[in-house]
Amino acid sequence: MKLTFSQAINQAFIDAMKSDEKVLCLGLGATDPKGVFNTTSGLEKLFGSQRVFDIPTSENAITGICVGLSIGGYKPVLTHQRLDFALLSLDQIINNAAKLHYMFGGALNCPIVIRMIIGRGWGQGPTHSQNLQMLFAGIPGLKVIIPGSAQDAYSQLRASIESPDPIIFLEHRWLHNSFSEIKLNHSSLDIREQSTVKEGSDITILATSYMLPESIKAANILEKYGISVEIINFRCYYFEPDEAIIKSLKKTKRLIIADTAQDCFSISYTLVEKIKNKIHLGSDKYSILAMPSVPEPTSYYLTKNFYLNYQDILNQVFKMLDIKNNFIEETSLDTIKHDIPGEWFKGPF
Amino acid sequence: MKLTFSQAINQAFIDAMKSDEKVLCLGLGATDPKGVFNTTSGLEKLFGSQRVFDIPTSENAITGICVGLSIGGYKPVLTHQRLDFALLSLDQIINNAAKLHYMFGGALNCPIVIRMIIGRGWGQGPTHSQNLQMLFAGIPGLKVIIPGSAQDAYSQLRASIESPDPIIFLEHRWLHNSFSEIKLNHSSLDIREQSTVKEGSDITILATSYMLPESIKAANILEKYGISVEIINFRCYYFEPDEAIIKSLKKTKRLIIADTAQDCFSISYTLVEKIKNKIHLGSDKYSILAMPSVPEPTSYYLTKNFYLNYQDILNQVFKMLDIKNNFIEETSLDTIKHDIPGEWFKGPF
Amino acid sequence: MDENFRIRKILDMQELNIQEIKNLNYKLLMVMKRIREVELSISKEYKNQEIRCPVHLSVGQEAAAAAIALNINKTDYSVSTHRGHAHYLAKGGDLKAMISELYGKKTGCSKGKGGSMHLIDKEVGFMGTSAIVGNSIATGTGLAEAAKLNSKGQISVIHIGDGALEEGVFYESLNYACLKQLPAIYLCENNFYSVYSPLKVRQPPNRDISALAKAIGTKFSYKCKGNDPVNAHNIVQKAIYQCRNNYGPIFIEYETYRWLEHCGPNNDDNLNYRDQKEIADWREKDPIKILERKLTQKESKDYELYKVYIKNEIAEAFQYAKDSKPPNYIEAFTEIYSSK
Amino acid sequence: MDENFRIRKILDMQELNIQEIKNLNYKLLMVMKRIREVELSISKEYKNQEIRCPVHLSVGQEAAAAAIALNINKTDYSVSTHRGHAHYLAKGGDLKAMISELYGKKTGCSKGKGGSMHLIDKEVGFMGTSAIVGNSIATGTGLAEAAKLNSKGQISVIHIGDGALEEGVFYESLNYACLKQLPAIYLCENNFYSVYSPLKVRQPPNRDISALAKAIGTKFSYKCKGNDPVNAHNIVQKAIYQCRNNYGPIFIEYETYRWLEHCGPNNDDNLNYRDQKEIADWREKDPIKILERKLTQKESKDYELYKVYIKNEIAEAFQYAKDSKPPNYIEAFTEIYSSK
Ligand SMILES: Cc1ncc(C[n+]2csc(CCOP(=O)(O)OP(=O)(O)O)c2C)c(N)n1
Ligand SMILES: Cc1ncc(C[n+]2csc(CCOP(=O)(O)OP(=O)(O)O)c2C)c(N)n1
Ligand SMILES: [Mg+2]
Ligand SMILES: [Mg+2]
């Protein structure tokens, strides 16, 4: 079954809501004609307006209301069209949802999923584009899921909805139209499991979110030149590296972390140290590719060279393998402008 | 002049408010009989209720109101009795204060100081004890100041008030009663400057906040055994290591970072990597001492062995210097209970 | 029926509705007295430095809790704040588990992890308290939505203080509850202070807060003046009836007064942040004394027995708490997640 | 005085108070028409994909802005939202700098860093807009406090939409403004929708929002029905007078309607989230047409000239924006702090 990322989210909702009538879907625009970039389209018709509904612009209370619903036996999935809006609800997320299970000695648990969409490009600007994953990943009690593919969108959302713990589910806006062959299956998924999406022997890339397709693009180019890249889809922000990562690094002994968040105090730094506690990596054997630690400007001209893409990955691989590349030119013939995910995008949102 | 940390804050307010009539002091309890642990006592009498005032329990709006005051020409200093309460205002802090200067192309600037007090012990529990410095330190546009001594309390608060940028000023509750000789001087202080408080040759400790007195205690004990510790008061959370740090490490070649925040995605990890970009440190030559990555429990019994203190620092130094210590016993004769800063503390807050 | 058993039945919140005792005054008094005695015992014990967490006592404010106790069902929900002991007990929360929680023991209702500010007894629908002002308002509103979705006639009672009215989350939650006509009762104990701060430095002068709730969208809003327990009961009874019968959310302002310091075991009237005459006036309106004066002779005799009974019950609870094994510090590191 | 110069004077917000033109209708019309033409030009140009940021146009909603334009001083403050073009222009904001900002140029009012949702012109007291719903309400309230502390008779106008009323920050800010009697005007353009969502899925039915503001604590709250520019003007005039004369904060609800899609250059009536009859009714209430019909013959003649004038002015602004040098991408990394 070939689905876009958006369609996969939608399908996950349908399947989850069919299999468990306690699952609810709410958020600004959840029932509107655009259905949150088509991820919630049609759900109200299928499951009724008691289970699928629009909400007031009250991010803070709504988050606490979801907590209340969850301890009252429901499984709400709340969607924010931008992560930035969820900053209004950090008290409820950190002081309530994340702590509930712990601070009542296990008496309660809080099965909520909060989807947050991360914007990029087309003038999203400083308050519509922040990937503040570190705000959430650093809070014990939360699990932070950041799907990188349409398959993840489906299986990780299903697993998140079934999780008894609060989940922050970060969707990159530029992934919504990416598509792939999908198995409508999630039963075996450990929500903290990373996934190896491409095997290789020269270098390991831990790619998060939208950096996954960019990494794959880079790896495919590198393959032509005899460089074999292993790609791990780093799709859950847990600081303990899982086995796939350790196994991969034992083989390749070289690591690039490619992240869509900013460099400063990036979670990647913790990850590197935790990896190095398990396996030796010389200081020239790993590197972190992350966004600059500045707000995202709005102007088309100012975002030029602001985002990371497959070319940055190519350059980094060359550098780490100590290869003087003369074929990089060939790959810079892109015609798509840097501030849109593809020609299909015509603005404004 | 000998002052406690609290008195030093109070003095900084007095001197700042005298020298600039635009400085305001506001916060829950700013004018009450306890004066926020005596830090704001007497100010209303000196400067009037237009400049020193109590506020409604409206953390979010009040923060934005401070932003408005600041672009209207004032310099508000807002105090939260616990950092945890400030989570209600992260939208205003991150989407407004931190971005203002940047997103209006430099047209505005935002000279506000937000003091947040970090709780510990005596059953503060999961939502009255969080040091979430990483929430702020990772936001471009903010500067995060975390004073470790009474001198810092004075000079860093003065420098913060004079800063044209928004400052998050983190005060550890357990420092309020610590005291020292103080120079009422701040004019030469670069707000991002770290300070070397003790010279030594064997190992460098970057100590933050309340870990500073604990580190000094450890260093004094170690001195008796011929181990020479250099201590740098890491009092501004900037990710680029400053010269004092690099200079020190060139000498000692060994680093401990002692932090009052939790380990998981701690900013220390970024710092280590940034340091290693400038100077080689073998993987057994540095270590991070930080709090466990779990919520802080309330019970006296559960917080036993939860906090870090000078003993943890001693042990870590021994470990890194490869010394089998048989004198550690001697130092564990403390009679003060682990959940209070000193005998003077009788609860409840 | 032997006295002790009768009293025990009264203490069991489920039984309170059976109207074993016909006199409302007496029933209210019993609930209030028990709460007061618990609070005073905590106050007394606190000095021994074995209760090592902040406590916010309800002495003087017991009537609102008692009004709820007499009218709520076990299957209903309630949530409260930092000052939650009375509401926990009113909902039928386990006393031993509460006292043990204050002592940081594993037998505590939150296994020592939450302390006085994090009480819970899921068995009786008491769904937790929060140490963050306003925080549990949203949770309680969500429970009201769960109640509505369940269609079993449950309601959700949200205990708050006057300070919580200043948090945006109160307004957002009430807007939501009105929009969706949720069975929620927002019961605000207006004790005129938030810590040391009087209303006048926090809210516009002479604002009628029940009118405010109405303007936000509740169909019914009530105001209960002057710490009157019978009035409180009657209003709460009516409100719960309306709430169960789909009149949507209801707001109740209950005027009251705190006798001890905001946080801690002591009287702090020496700090003079409250007017001496104001204090004296409110002391006059002690809801317990008022009702004690109204007891019949027969009831007074019962009441003497009852007082002995609760004294014993409370002593037992404290003993239980003190005797309970402390948790191992390792347990601090468990139950952060409920799954792997 | 030659026509062009006279019109230029009218366009200068400082001069508007000089009452060069006696007829209120005509003055309101001039301001509104200019705003509309700017917005329509943006709509038209957007298709060329050179304006590469979200835009929220005010077509249909111009009257509230015009009412402010005619009554506010340059030394007063104002702040607005994502839909801020009209308010920026009403306060006297520089047109060229605004259009350049949309084109992401360095000559933009925010040097290209902020885009359409972050307009500023400090020179005329327009202190910024925010892309976060409700966010600038608090900022504007703080500016009102600064105004009060300055004691120079300034006021602060806070432009908001009906959706912003759902954010707790609105309530917290208004509570604060009432408490401290700040000279703030909260001017809410109720266009009945937040993105595609009608009021009924967001707020309790038939709630009177100006009554809500009054219950929070304003002395005066006004409601202006049906997109009537003259009524809007009179209410705003009165409110500003009261606000300057220490009656504390004032809330104004101004009913209006958005003609184009929530975000973007197009009409989206084909999506059917709004009733066709509702749309038609509101189109009837076009504040510009209504006033155009009321012009005298002499004014109509002037108006024709005026239209030519603004057409040129706008064309010039677009040309200026297009011709402006793009910023170097390196500038993305500057001015994060205003100190080292
Ligand atoms: C968000 C937040 N801000 C501030 C505090 C500090 N605080 C604890 S209790 C309290 C007073 C609240 O007053 P009120 O709601 O009237 O309750 P009362 O204590 O009078 O019962 C405050 C301000 C807090 N716990 N949470
Ligand atoms: C905190 C936050 N939540 C959601 C959004 C998404 N959003 C942008 S504009 C808008 C509509 C606001 O409606 P209203 O205040 O009525 O203004 P209007 O667009 O009708 O002028 C929304 C929900 C946002 N920008 N910020
Ligand atoms: Mg109170
Ligand atoms: Mg609207």
Side-chain angles (χ1 to χ4, degrees):
Chain A
M1 196 176 198
K2 220 167 182 136
L3 294 180
T4 65
F5 189 101
S6 288
Q7 288 165 336
I9 294 282
N10 194 259
Q11 192 62 46
F13 266 120
I14 293 172
D15 294 349
M17 295 184 81
K18 270 189 189 153
S19 79
D20 183 351
E21 61 172 26
K22 296 292 191 183
V23 177
L24 309 174
C25 167
L26 64 156
L28 285 179
T31 60
D32 79 21
K34 295 286 171 78
V36 190
F37 312 117
N38 294 319
T39 59
T40 61
S41 303
L43 297 178
E44 188 187 18
K45 223 173 217 163
L46 280 174
F47 301 105
S49 58
Q50 289 225 316
R51 295 182 62 198
V52 183
F53 49 92
D54 205 341
I55 54 172
T57 320
S58 308
E59 286 81 359
N60 192 31
I62 298 284
T63 305
I65 287 166
C66 286
V67 174
L69 279 163
S70 78
I71 62 177
Y74 291 83
K75 296 183 172 177
V77 182
L78 169 64
T79 302
H80 296 290
Q81 306 227 15
R82 286 290 178 274
L83 179 149
D84 316 68
F85 309 159
L87 293 181
L88 283 156
S89 58
L90 280 204
D91 172 54
Q92 289 293 337
I93 293 177
I94 295 178
N95 285 330
N96 196 4
K99 303 283 193 299
L100 207 63
H101 184 67
Y102 184 85
M103 81 187 164
F104 293 114
L108 298 177
N109 63 302
C110 183
I112 68 175
V113 179
I114 308 181
R115 294 171 60 209
M116 302 180 190
I117 294 166
I118 296 161
R120 165 169 161 171
W122 198 271
Q124 293 299 303
T127 62
H128 274 56
S129 63
Q130 297 169 86
N131 178 358
L132 296 172
Q133 61 197 15
M134 50 74 170
L135 296 196
F136 306 106
I139 305 297
L142 299 178
K143 288 182 179 172
V144 180
I145 302 301
I146 179 147
S149 69
Q151 178 66 62
D152 289 346
Y154 181 82
S155 44
Q156 287 196 299
L157 183 55
R158 296 259 356 230
S160 295
I161 292 172
E162 285 174 12
S163 161
D165 293 308
I167 304 280
I168 306 294
F169 195 88
L170 303 176
E171 292 171 29
H172 199 288
R173 177 75 186 102
W174 283 28
L175 285 172
H176 278 136
N177 265 40
S178 70
F179 58 92
S180 58
E181 203 59 45
I182 283 187
K183 286 193 218 94
L184 296 184
N185 190 332
H186 71 291
S187 53
S188 63
L189 184 70
D190 168 358
I191 201 161
R192 275 193 171 150
E193 205 176 81
Q194 317 297 358
S195 89
T196 306
V197 299
K198 187 184 168 302
E199 302 204 359
S201 52
D202 294 330
I203 190 163
T204 301
I205 299 178
L206 288 191
T208 81
S209 185
Y210 182 66
M211 282 300 104
L212 181 62
E214 294 288 336
S215 298
I216 292 172
K217 208 163 162 184
N220 289 340
I221 293 169
L222 289 165
E223 197 139 287
K224 289 193 225 154
Y225 297 91
I227 300 168
S228 166
V229 178
E230 177 142 320
I231 298 177
I232 295 177
N233 177 3
F234 191 69
R235 57 190 181 166
C236 168
Y237 276 113
Y238 189 51
F239 59 92
E240 286 297 345
D242 83 351
E243 256 172 64
I245 297 173
I246 302 302
K247 220 181 87 193
S248 176
L249 288 172
K250 278 193 180 145
K251 179 170 59 178
T252 67
K253 298 191 179 60
R254 286 189 194 84
L255 169 68
I256 292 175
I257 302 182
D259 195 3
T260 67
Q262 65 176 27
D263 177 74
C264 164
F265 301 128
S266 156
I267 61 174
S268 307
Y269 289 102
T270 299
L271 194 62
V272 161
E273 287 300 320
K274 299 292 179 188
I275 289 172
K276 291 195 331 188
N277 287 344
K278 303 209 171 180
I279 181 169
H280 175 76
L281 278 181
S283 63
D284 56 341
K285 294 292 183 268
Y286 62 92
S287 66
I288 291 166
L289 288 175
M291 297 277 289
S293 297
V294 304
E296 181 162 324
T298 301
S299 164
Y300 172 77
Y301 308 103
L302 291 171
T303 51
K304 228 166 192 161
N305 302 315
F306 194 84
Y307 309 116
L308 294 172
N309 63 20
Y310 71 95
Q311 295 197 15
D312 301 282
I313 298 169
L314 288 177
N315 287 334
Q316 195 64 27
V317 171
F318 292 142
K319 200 174 136 194
M320 285 178 68
L321 295 179
D322 213 12
I323 296 171
K324 294 260 171 324
N325 64 298
N326 45 16
F327 41 83
I328 185 71
E329 296 312 326
E330 170 196 340
T331 64
S332 60
L333 297 170
D334 302 299
T335 53
I336 294 179
K337 290 195 188 304
H338 70 270
D339 67 338
I340 52 172
E343 293 295 358
W344 55 271
F345 187 93
K346 300 289 175 206
F349 223 65
Chain B
M1 195 176 200
K2 219 167 184 135
L3 294 179
T4 66
F5 188 102
S6 289
Q7 289 166 334
I9 294 282
N10 194 259
Q11 193 61 48
F13 267 120
I14 293 173
D15 295 349
M17 295 184 80
K18 269 189 189 154
S19 79
D20 184 351
E21 61 173 25
K22 295 293 190 182
V23 177
L24 310 173
C25 167
L26 64 157
L28 285 179
T31 60
D32 79 21
K34 295 286 170 77
V36 190
F37 312 117
N38 294 319
T39 58
T40 61
S41 303
L43 297 178
E44 188 186 16
K45 220 171 217 166
L46 281 173
F47 302 105
S49 58
Q50 289 225 317
R51 294 182 63 197
V52 183
F53 48 93
D54 204 342
I55 54 172
T57 320
S58 307
E59 287 80 0
N60 192 30
I62 298 284
T63 306
I65 287 166
C66 286
V67 174
L69 279 162
S70 78
I71 61 177
Y74 291 84
K75 295 184 172 177
V77 182
L78 170 63
T79 303
H80 296 290
Q81 306 227 15
R82 287 290 178 274
L83 179 149
D84 316 68
F85 309 159
L87 294 180
L88 283 156
S89 58
L90 281 203
D91 172 54
Q92 289 293 336
I93 294 177
I94 296 177
N95 285 330
N96 196 4
K99 304 283 193 296
L100 207 63
H101 184 68
Y102 185 86
M103 81 188 164
F104 292 114
L108 298 177
N109 64 302
C110 183
I112 69 177
V113 180
I114 309 181
R115 295 172 61 210
M116 303 180 189
I117 294 166
I118 296 161
R120 164 167 161 172
W122 198 272
Q124 293 299 303
T127 62
H128 275 57
S129 63
Q130 297 169 86
N131 178 357
L132 296 172
Q133 61 197 16
M134 49 75 169
L135 296 195
F136 306 107
I139 304 298
L142 299 178
K143 288 182 180 172
V144 180
I145 302 301
I146 179 149
S149 69
Q151 178 66 61
D152 290 346
Y154 182 82
S155 44
Q156 287 196 299
L157 183 55
R158 295 248 14 219
S160 295
I161 292 172
E162 284 173 14
S163 162
D165 293 308
I167 304 280
I168 306 295
F169 195 88
L170 303 176
E171 292 170 30
H172 198 287
R173 177 74 185 102
W174 282 29
L175 285 172
H176 278 137
N177 266 40
S178 69
F179 57 92
S180 58
E181 203 60 45
I182 284 189
K183 287 195 218 93
L184 296 184
N185 190 333
H186 70 291
S187 53
S188 64
L189 183 70
D190 169 358
I191 201 160
R192 275 193 171 149
E193 206 175 81
Q194 316 297 359
S195 89
T196 306
V197 299
K198 187 186 167 302
E199 302 205 359
S201 53
D202 294 330
I203 190 163
T204 301
I205 300 178
L206 288 190
T208 81
S209 185
Y210 181 66
M211 282 300 104
L212 181 62
E214 295 287 336
S215 297
I216 292 172
K217 207 164 162 183
N220 289 339
I221 293 169
L222 289 164
E223 198 138 286
K224 290 193 225 154
Y225 297 90
I227 300 168
S228 166
V229 178
E230 177 142 320
I231 299 177
I232 295 176
N233 176 4
F234 191 69
R235 57 189 181 166
C236 169
Y237 276 113
Y238 189 51
F239 58 92
E240 286 297 345
D242 82 352
E243 256 173 63
I245 298 173
I246 302 304
K247 220 180 87 193
S248 175
L249 288 172
K250 279 193 180 143
K251 178 170 59 178
T252 67
K253 299 190 179 60
R254 287 188 193 82
L255 169 68
I256 292 175
I257 301 182
D259 196 4
T260 66
Q262 65 176 27
D263 177 74
C264 164
F265 300 128
S266 156
I267 62 173
S268 307
Y269 289 103
T270 299
L271 194 62
V272 161
E273 286 299 320
K274 299 291 177 189
I275 290 172
K276 291 195 334 190
N277 287 346
K278 303 210 171 179
I279 180 170
H280 176 74
L281 279 180
S283 63
D284 56 341
K285 294 291 184 267
Y286 63 91
S287 66
I288 291 166
L289 287 176
M291 297 277 288
S293 298
V294 304
E296 180 161 325
T298 301
S299 165
Y300 172 76
Y301 308 103
L302 291 171
T303 50
K304 226 166 192 160
N305 303 314
F306 194 85
Y307 309 116
L308 294 172
N309 63 19
Y310 71 95
Q311 295 196 15
D312 301 282
I313 298 169
L314 288 177
N315 288 333
Q316 194 64 27
V317 170
F318 292 143
K319 201 174 135 195
M320 285 179 68
L321 295 178
D322 213 11
I323 297 171
K324 293 264 170 320
N325 63 299
N326 44 16
F327 42 82
I328 184 74
E329 297 311 326
E330 170 199 339
T331 64
S332 60
L333 298 169
D334 301 300
T335 53
I336 293 179
K337 289 196 188 312
H338 70 271
D339 68 339
I340 52 172
E343 293 295 357
W344 56 270
F345 188 93
K346 300 290 175 205
F349 223 65
Chain C
M1 206 186 307
D2 100 309
E3 282 297 0
N4 242 354
F5 180 70
R6 208 175 105 202
I7 293 161
R8 186 173 283 283
K9 281 198 85 172
I10 293 158
L11 290 171
D12 181 347
M13 289 307 132
Q14 287 164 271
E15 300 297 321
L16 268 167
N17 288 327
I18 301 182
Q19 318 275 341
E20 272 290 329
I21 290 174
K22 287 281 175 310
N23 184 346
L24 174 65
N25 287 342
Y26 186 29
K27 285 194 289 188
L28 284 166
L29 178 58
M30 293 177 93
V31 181
M32 291 195 297
K33 183 68 178 174
R34 179 164 174 266
I35 292 169
R36 168 124 359 141
E37 289 304 319
V38 169
E39 296 290 69
L40 291 177
S41 303
I42 294 168
S43 163
K44 221 175 96 195
E45 285 288 338
Y46 202 84
K47 284 139 199 164
N48 298 327
Q49 306 253 307
E50 285 174 47
I51 298 176
R52 297 176 82 84
C53 66
V55 294
H56 303 76
L57 303 179
S58 288
V59 180
Q61 304 192 188
E62 300 87 352
I68 289 292
L70 265 56
N71 290 289
I72 201 156
N73 295 339
K74 189 170 152 180
T75 48
D76 292 326
Y77 295 123
S78 92
V79 296
S80 181
T81 67
H82 58 287
R83 198 178 306 287
H85 299 178
H87 312 127
Y88 171 93
L89 294 173
K91 192 75 176 62
D94 186 292
L95 177 62
K96 282 181 178 158
M98 170 176 135
I99 303 298
S100 300
E101 188 61 31
L102 269 54
Y103 279 85
K105 298 298 177 72
K106 200 176 170 173
T107 50
C109 58
S110 300
K111 298 185 187 160
K113 284 180 173 163
S116 159
M117 295 199 282
H118 296 101
L119 302 180
I120 183 145
D121 193 338
K122 223 178 137 184
E123 290 307 305
V124 298
F126 189 79
M127 303 300 277
T129 60
S130 171
I132 301 292
V133 170
N135 184 288
S136 51
I137 300 176
T139 315
T141 305
L143 283 163
E145 184 153 32
K148 180 162 182 168
L149 290 169
N150 287 342
S151 304
K152 287 181 189 158
Q154 295 158 286
I155 66 165
S156 171
V157 174
I158 297 144
H159 294 278
I160 52 176
D162 48 296
L165 300 177
E166 294 146 26
E167 293 288 1
V169 72
F170 162 71
Y171 167 84
E172 291 183 359
S173 297
L174 195 54
N175 180 68
Y176 188 86
C178 293
L179 173 70
K180 302 201 108 183
Q181 291 292 293
L182 302 182
I185 291 180
Y186 299 82
L187 177 44
C188 173
E189 290 178 34
N190 180 3
N191 63 8
F192 303 96
Y193 289 84
S194 166
V195 194
Y196 304 102
S197 307
L199 264 179
K200 70 161 192 273
V201 303
R202 303 180 280 117
Q203 299 182 27
N206 305 318
R207 180 167 70 187
D208 179 342
I209 60 183
S210 56
L212 169 59
K214 215 157 181 176
I216 294 172
T218 61
K219 283 208 194 72
F220 297 100
S221 271
Y222 300 105
K223 174 167 184 140
C224 174
K225 289 200 173 179
N227 229 6
D228 177 344
V230 175
N231 185 221
H233 169 272
N234 294 343
I235 286 175
V236 164
Q237 189 174 50
K238 187 163 150 192
I240 289 186
Y241 174 86
Q242 290 171 324
C243 197
R244 277 201 214 290
N245 287 279
N246 302 317
Y247 285 90
I250 289 170
F251 181 87
I252 304 173
E253 174 191 0
Y254 166 71
E255 287 187 354
T256 186
Y257 209 69
R258 155 168 69 69
W259 285 21
L260 302 180
E261 60 190 339
H262 164 71
C263 177
N266 301 311
N267 177 306
D268 67 351
D269 292 341
N270 60 312
L271 292 178
N272 285 319
Y273 63 99
R274 302 191 298 189
D275 186 72
Q276 294 299 336
K277 177 159 165 10
E278 180 184 291
I279 295 171
D281 286 353
W282 280 101
R283 284 261 184 182
E284 275 304 298
K285 292 183 218 162
D286 178 359
I288 289 181
K289 271 217 196 92
I290 289 171
L291 292 193
E292 280 176 347
R293 283 197 288 263
K294 290 187 179 170
L295 292 185
T296 65
Q297 232 177 359
K298 163 78 172 67
E299 285 164 352
S300 287
K301 232 189 85 199
D302 280 7
Y303 186 57
E304 289 309 312
L305 273 174
Y306 174 71
K307 284 196 284 190
V308 174
Y309 173 77
I310 54 177
K311 217 184 126 180
N312 289 335
E313 186 206 10
I314 294 167
E316 233 176 72
F318 275 83
Q319 203 54 52
Y320 174 84
K322 290 180 191 176
D323 292 348
S324 288
K325 236 183 76 180
N328 187 300
Y329 77 92
I330 285 296
E331 290 168 44
F333 303 92
T334 60
E335 296 197 298
I336 297 150
Y337 296 93
S338 52
S339 59
K340 194 170 64 125
Chain D
M1 208 187 304
D2 102 307
E3 280 298 359
N4 242 354
F5 181 69
R6 207 175 106 203
I7 293 162
R8 187 174 282 281
K9 280 198 87 172
I10 292 159
L11 290 171
D12 181 346
M13 288 307 131
Q14 286 163 270
E15 300 296 321
L16 267 167
N17 288 328
I18 300 180
Q19 318 275 343
E20 272 289 332
I21 290 174
K22 286 281 175 314
N23 184 347
L24 174 65
N25 286 344
Y26 186 31
K27 285 194 289 188
L28 283 167
L29 178 58
M30 293 179 93
V31 181
M32 290 196 296
K33 183 67 178 175
R34 179 163 173 267
I35 292 170
R36 169 130 349 146
E37 289 305 319
V38 170
E39 296 290 70
L40 291 177
S41 302
I42 295 168
S43 163
K44 220 174 98 195
E45 285 289 337
Y46 202 84
K47 284 141 200 165
N48 298 328
Q49 307 254 308
E50 285 173 48
I51 298 176
R52 297 176 83 83
C53 66
V55 294
H56 302 76
L57 304 179
S58 288
V59 180
Q61 303 193 188
E62 300 88 352
I68 289 292
L70 264 56
N71 290 289
I72 200 156
N73 296 337
K74 188 169 152 182
T75 50
D76 292 326
Y77 295 124
S78 92
V79 296
S80 181
T81 68
H82 57 286
R83 198 177 307 287
H85 299 177
H87 312 128
Y88 170 94
L89 295 172
K91 193 73 175 64
D94 187 293
L95 177 63
K96 282 181 177 155
M98 170 178 137
I99 302 298
S100 299
E101 188 61 30
L102 269 55
Y103 279 84
K105 298 298 178 72
K106 199 175 170 172
T107 49
C109 58
S110 300
K111 298 187 186 157
K113 283 180 174 164
S116 159
M117 295 199 281
H118 296 102
L119 301 180
I120 183 145
D121 194 337
K122 223 178 135 184
E123 291 307 305
V124 297
F126 190 78
M127 303 300 278
T129 59
S130 171
I132 301 293
V133 171
N135 184 288
S136 51
I137 300 176
T139 315
T141 304
L143 283 163
E145 183 153 32
K148 180 162 182 168
L149 290 169
N150 288 342
S151 305
K152 288 181 190 157
Q154 295 159 285
I155 66 166
S156 172
V157 174
I158 297 145
H159 293 278
I160 52 176
D162 50 297
L165 301 177
E166 294 146 26
E167 293 287 1
V169 73
F170 162 70
Y171 168 84
E172 291 182 359
S173 298
L174 194 54
N175 180 69
Y176 187 86
C178 293
L179 173 70
K180 303 202 105 183
Q181 290 292 293
L182 304 181
I185 291 179
Y186 298 83
L187 176 44
C188 174
E189 290 178 34
N190 180 4
N191 64 7
F192 303 95
Y193 289 83
S194 166
V195 193
Y196 304 102
S197 308
L199 265 179
K200 71 162 192 274
V201 303
R202 304 179 280 119
Q203 299 182 27
N206 305 317
R207 179 167 72 186
D208 179 343
I209 60 182
S210 57
L212 168 61
K214 215 156 180 177
I216 293 172
T218 61
K219 283 207 193 72
F220 296 99
S221 272
Y222 300 104
K223 176 169 183 138
C224 174
K225 289 198 174 183
N227 227 7
D228 176 345
V230 175
N231 185 221
H233 170 271
N234 293 342
I235 286 175
V236 164
Q237 189 172 50
K238 188 164 148 192
I240 289 186
Y241 175 84
Q242 290 171 323
C243 197
R244 277 201 214 290
N245 288 279
N246 302 316
Y247 286 89
I250 289 170
F251 180 87
I252 303 173
E253 175 191 359
Y254 166 71
E255 286 186 356
T256 186
Y257 209 70
R258 153 168 71 68
W259 285 20
L260 302 181
E261 59 190 340
H262 165 71
C263 178
N266 301 310
N267 178 306
D268 68 350
D269 293 340
N270 59 313
L271 292 179
N272 286 319
Y273 63 100
R274 303 191 298 189
D275 187 70
Q276 294 298 336
K277 178 158 162 13
E278 180 183 291
I279 296 171
D281 286 353
W282 280 102
R283 285 258 182 184
E284 274 305 296
K285 292 183 220 162
D286 178 359
I288 289 180
K289 272 217 196 91
I290 288 171
L291 292 193
E292 279 176 348
R293 282 196 290 261
K294 292 187 178 170
L295 292 184
T296 64
Q297 231 174 1
K298 163 80 173 61
E299 285 165 352
S300 288
K301 231 188 88 201
D302 280 5
Y303 186 57
E304 288 309 312
L305 274 173
Y306 175 70
K307 285 196 284 190
V308 175
Y309 173 78
I310 54 177
K311 217 182 126 183
N312 289 337
E313 186 207 9
I314 294 167
E316 233 176 70
F318 275 83
Q319 201 56 51
Y320 174 84
K322 289 180 190 175
D323 291 348
S324 289
K325 236 184 74 177
N328 187 301
Y329 77 92
I330 285 295
E331 290 168 44
F333 303 92
T334 60
E335 296 197 300
I336 297 151
Y337 296 94
S338 51
S339 59
K340 193 168 65 120

